[in-house]
Amino acid sequence: MMKPAFFSRISARVVLAAAALLCGSAAMAQAAQTALVGEDYRKVNQLITAKNYAGALQAADAYLTNNPRDPQMRLLRSRVLVAQGKTAEARGQLLSITQEYPEIAEPYNNLAVLYAQSGELDMARTALESAVRINPGYAVALQNLGDVYRRMAHDQYNKALALQPNNRALQEKARATRVSAP
């Protein structure tokens, strides 16, 4: 038997929401809402993975229309902005998240990456130190902090080498801290 077209368009989201309403269960309503939110995150992540940045931004913005303060979706949105080359807007988004949710480490890490890419190493270091203070076990932030320290050391060794170009110890230190491009 063939299903009417109407039924083939009903998504899992609608079915979950309807079941929650019909059952009148607060727990089921919460579960349905969680499933809806999870689906929104999955959709945006899938669009990012497919490099459909315009679609990902549209999906993130649609979700944020009803949930404007959701920090996780705003983080995803900032990733899309970076992928689109809109780093200034991404920075603004991340700064806003750090101000509204200072207890979340990830936006500090992501902001630090943008600072480091533009050569603002002191700002990157400060942001990463905040991320590590919030979450001492945040391995990515620790690694990024080490990379920033290494770049800072390399820059200082090069400044010293400009003053003492024949200093072998400085030459070796500058070589040891050289940051190679990935």
Side-chain angles (χ1 to χ4, degrees), residues 50-63:
K51 298 185 189 315
N52 180 352
Y53 303 123
L57 188 59
Q58 185 178 16
D61 286 343
Y63 174 84

Side-chain angles (χ1 to χ4, degrees), residues 13-36:
R13 294 168 62 142
V14 173
V15 172
L16 281 171
L21 288 173
L22 289 173
C23 293
S25 162
M28 189 161 191
Q30 180 61 41
Q33 181 60 33
T34 300
L36 295 176

